[in-house]
Amino acid sequence: MQSDRLPGHPHIAYVGDELFVEKTALSTLAQQYGTPLFVYSRASMLAALATYQQGFAGRQVQICYAMKANSTLAVIQLFAKAGCGFDVVSQGEMQRVLAAGGLASRIIFSGVGKTRAEMHAALKAGVGCFNVESEAELVALNEVALSLGRQAPVSIRVNPNVDPQTHPYISTGLKGNKFGIAHERVVQTYQRAAALPGLSVLGIDCHIGSQITQESPYLEAMDRMLDLVEAIEAAGVPLHHIDMGGGLGIDYNGETPPEAAGLWRKLLEKLDARGFGERALMIEPGRSLVGNAGVCVTEVLYLKPGEQKNFCIVDAAMNDLPRPAMYQAFHQIVPVKPRATNAETWEVVGPICESGDWIGHDRVVSVAQGDLLAVLSAGAYCMSMASNYNTRNRAAEVLVDGSQADLIRARESYSDQMRLERLLT
Ligand code: LLP
């Protein structure tokens, strides 16, 4: 049968007259598990990982999946089995990695506001490295490590002051951001860290932003990082690894981000040219591993044509798909079973009581009440950012492998939502 792949989504295609993820029809999954429903392609996640692995062939590199992009246990398990480590930003994320069978020694613990309780738990678990973001945090970590009679492995997150040319909410490596240690203070911060008995200095890291679609910010950041490595080592602090963070973008709406393998070939050339070819590397990709592996299937509840706008009200909302409301983000919306009738222009909106609850503006599609739509590029920063606003149950998730589909998260129930609450006595 004719298969019509969606550009940028190699494992999502129209087969005959309906949309499939790998060899599984989305309509069948929606019937079985209800909507809204997140559906992920295993092959797509592994293919995205493979492009990084190809770029790094023969090098000493640890790929640490930034699990904030999608922290569902089975997704973590898949990447752990494929050899990944994990970038975590809370004790909760660390617990998820351990529950999914990931190795503590391959965890990097990032984040600007780790509590002492989190440091304590991570040291006991034996995480591979703490990415420290301030001098005050170094002091706290040193104290917690000494109280346990240990040394904490640390890397210092530096702020390379590079413009990632992305949305202001997701650029992190500029001077005005809360992240990392300012360029000018880096060497003295390393000297201070090296002198603290509870710390063992391992590396240096940066993360310049997210949904980066150009090569140049990475090349620039690598140059600045290598300048810093030279200065830090000249000041007497040897570094074992360089962690370049994550941030590579995906195709949401025709963007053409560099391919991981090609980008890394260029970055590795730079390392070689500057004499750092043997240095251990780490990276922390999130979105680029899972973003285009996922769709959110939603049912059209009502059509409400109007004088100014036509509203297409669907059963997914900003609590399931927060990116449009938060970042004015664009996600493609396509019919699961396209209709032959004329397309009209719709505001695709959810049922939540806020005008900000929109999923797509001015979408040209032919729809009828009861149809299923698929919101694309929903594998990253959707379910992991989902909420219960309006006391809506969080959606179910399915992982597809060919024609096999596994329910990896059951739909939440109202009793799940109310479990921790108590009435006044
Ligand atoms: N490492 C660190 C230290 C990070 O802060 C992040 C993302 C990553 C790695 C992974 O970045 P990625 O490869 O996924 O771009 N919710 C926003 C994105 C926030 C990203 C935060 N940090 C969105 O939906 O666009």
Side-chain angles (χ1 to χ4, degrees), residues 66 68 87 157 170 207 210 247 284 286-287 323 327 381 385:
K68 62 170 80 68
D87 173 69
R157 175 164 175 186
I170 50 178
H207 170 76
S210 201
E284 307 164 0
R287 186 191 321 263
R323 304 191 68 257
Y327 317 112
Y381 302 112
M385 290 172 64

Side-chain angles (χ1 to χ4, degrees), residues 20 24 45 49 67 86 91 144 146 158 164 182 203 209 278 284 304 344 382-383 385 412:
F20 277 62
T24 305
M45 292 185 188
L49 177 63
M67 58 173 284
F86 296 90
Q91 185 177 347
V144 177
L146 290 178
V158 303
E278 301 294 305
E284 307 164 0
K304 190 169 152 181
E344 282 168 291
C382 291
M383 194 61 191
M385 290 172 64
E412 200 168 27

